[in-house]
Amino acid sequence: MQNSSQFLQQEDPNATKKWAVNLLKECAKAIFEKDSVKIHHILWMLNELASPYGDCEQKLAFYFLQALFYKLTESGERSYKTLVSAAEKSQSFDSARKVILKFQEVSPWTTFGHVASNSAILEAFEGKSKLHIIDISNTYCTQWPTLLESLATRNDDTPHLKLSVVVTDGARGSIMKEIGYRMQKFARLMGVPFEFKTISFFSRLSDLDRDKFGVKEDEAVAVNCIGAFRKLGVEERSEFIQMVRSLQPRVVTVVEEEADFSSKEDEFFKCFEECLKFYSMFFEMLEESFAPTSNERLMLERECSRTIIKLLACGRDDSEPERREKGIQWCNRLLEAFSPACFSEDTIDDVKALLKRYQAGWSLLPASGDASGLYMTWKQEPVVWASAWKL
């Protein structure tokens, strides 16, 4: 068998360029086939080559090696909980804000969904005086200042806006207090009558019901779901969408990363390949967007590593967080309760203008066939899907 130096000296340049992907696939295949000799040899090679501080391939090897090791030693659940607990204890408003804002500065990964969703929400709210946005997302409210600015400059009377933010974990709960204070201060500056509240004290997103939101009859409602549906168990998703329908929203905006991690528990290799493909693109994007020594990049990569461990090394539980589905799969679910609301030409122009602000490689792709919405692509590969829905 090859040692690590021989592997990197192969004549095939593509194999050398993507050595981490190739080695990791071989290791996952060996695990699936229960080839213990091959498993231990490849793990040794990966351990020799991997580093959380190296280039994209070294980082990819490090974080996936970590997940494979935890799977083989059946220590995934314990290790995942330890890593999540450590991350929550070290997280503060300032650290979270710095990472989010820097990521938005160098990449449209999150701002694409913000621009598309805000445009759809503003169009649905046109002419309405009492507005209620239910925010079930992971954006830390970073998408709302631009929407407040737009409301402040409306031709008719400035409407009253209620923003209800769903908080799904303890770390975000403490951070949201500071965010709420700043949002109220900004709304006063913009001259927009504003009410901010958080919805918490539930263990899982699927525990939410209509009564928790306090929707009033005279309110125009929008439900904003960015990275939210993947927090639900696969079997819980259709029921949750029906709950959203019961809120009688004028618009529902849905943004999800384009990947399918919903394979069955016994389809480990299939899930592994999809996970590896997605995070190879994501890590490559981070490498080309951030400086090599960026602390913000390192924090984003560590967040990814926890998700990779959860997906590959932990047993399935009822919540099954982070099991992404692709746009067409979400469309099939959403069509059971809603109709597609096409993005306007103005929205598409706004998104195109946004993408031009960043480095080359980003583009916009309208959904086709049975899917609806818009895809943002990175080097021709769809990576984020945005959509709007109506009753």
Side-chain angles (χ1 to χ4, degrees), residues 18-287:
K18 295 291 184 181
W19 62 264
V21 171
N22 296 327
L23 267 180
L24 288 164
K25 280 185 179 180
E26 284 296 310
C27 191
K29 187 177 179 182
I31 290 172
F32 181 73
E33 295 172 349
K34 298 181 180 180
D35 185 340
S36 58
V37 174
K38 191 174 183 180
I39 290 169
H40 286 104
H41 178 70
I42 298 176
L43 287 178
W44 177 83
M45 291 175 69
L46 284 167
N47 192 51
E48 288 287 301
L49 298 165
S51 168
Y53 305 107
D55 61 22
C56 181
E57 289 295 295
Q58 289 175 299
K59 291 185 176 191
L60 202 64
F62 179 85
Y63 292 121
F64 274 84
L65 170 62
Q66 195 176 46
L68 291 174
F69 177 78
Y70 291 150
K71 178 177 177 61
L72 288 166
T73 56
E74 298 182 348
S75 58
E77 294 282 359
R78 182 178 69 255
S79 301
Y80 174 76
K81 289 177 181 177
T82 300
L83 289 169
V84 168
S85 177
E88 289 180 351
K89 287 176 182 176
S90 64
Q91 193 176 44
S92 65
F93 171 76
D94 287 335
S95 65
R97 178 176 176 272
K98 190 174 181 182
V99 171
I100 291 166
L101 293 180
K102 186 63 179 178
F103 193 24
Q104 292 178 355
E105 177 188 326
V106 301
S107 168
W109 193 275
T110 57
T111 48
F112 160 69
H114 295 185
V115 171
S117 297
N118 281 358
S119 294
I121 290 169
L122 286 168
E123 288 173 13
F125 279 168
E126 192 170 346
K128 301 298 179 181
S129 60
K130 291 187 177 181
L131 317 178
H132 188 172
I133 296 175
I134 295 171
D135 187 18
I136 312 173
S137 71
N138 56 2
T139 68
Y140 292 93
C141 291
T142 52
Q143 80 180 84
W144 302 127
T146 54
L147 184 134
L148 282 168
E149 288 177 356
S150 297
L151 291 178
T153 56
R154 266 185 22 172
N155 293 329
D156 52 359
D157 292 338
T158 303
H160 178 279
L161 175 63
K162 181 197 295 184
L163 179 61
S164 298
V165 180
V166 174
V167 180
T168 55
D169 60 62
R172 284 189 62 205
S174 59
I175 290 171
M176 289 309 299
K177 290 180 182 178
E178 178 66 24
I179 291 173
Y181 168 75
R182 294 187 180 221
M183 286 292 297
Q184 289 170 332
K185 185 177 179 181
F186 185 76
R188 286 195 298 271
L189 179 66
M190 290 291 102
V192 177
F194 183 70
E195 179 183 347
F196 182 91
K197 71 172 185 176
T198 58
I199 299 169
S200 54
F201 305 110
F202 56 92
S203 57
R204 288 162 42 189
L205 202 55
S206 58
D207 293 335
L208 283 172
D209 58 50
R210 188 183 190 283
D211 295 338
K212 286 186 170 66
F213 299 106
V215 174
K216 297 177 181 177
E217 287 187 11
D218 60 348
E219 293 176 338
V221 176
V223 182
N224 184 63
C225 303
I226 298 186
F229 286 171
R230 65 173 180 257
K231 301 293 184 183
L232 293 156
V234 174
E235 300 302 320
E236 299 169 339
R237 293 172 181 178
S238 293
E239 184 178 350
F240 188 82
I241 289 169
Q242 291 297 331
M243 186 280 293
V244 172
R245 178 185 169 82
S246 74
L247 297 167
Q248 296 293 295
R250 293 185 64 83
V251 68
V252 177
T253 49
V254 180
V255 180
E256 289 287 346
E257 293 168 342
E258 182 69 359
D260 181 10
F261 301 157
S262 63
S263 53
K264 297 177 182 177
E265 189 168 5
D266 58 356
E267 297 177 314
F268 169 74
F269 190 68
K270 180 181 177 182
C271 182
F272 183 89
E273 281 193 307
E274 184 71 20
C275 192
L276 183 59
K277 177 185 175 183
F278 177 80
Y279 282 107
S280 294
M281 286 190 294
F282 190 77
F283 276 48
E284 180 184 316
M285 179 274 297
L286 292 180
E287 184 172 59

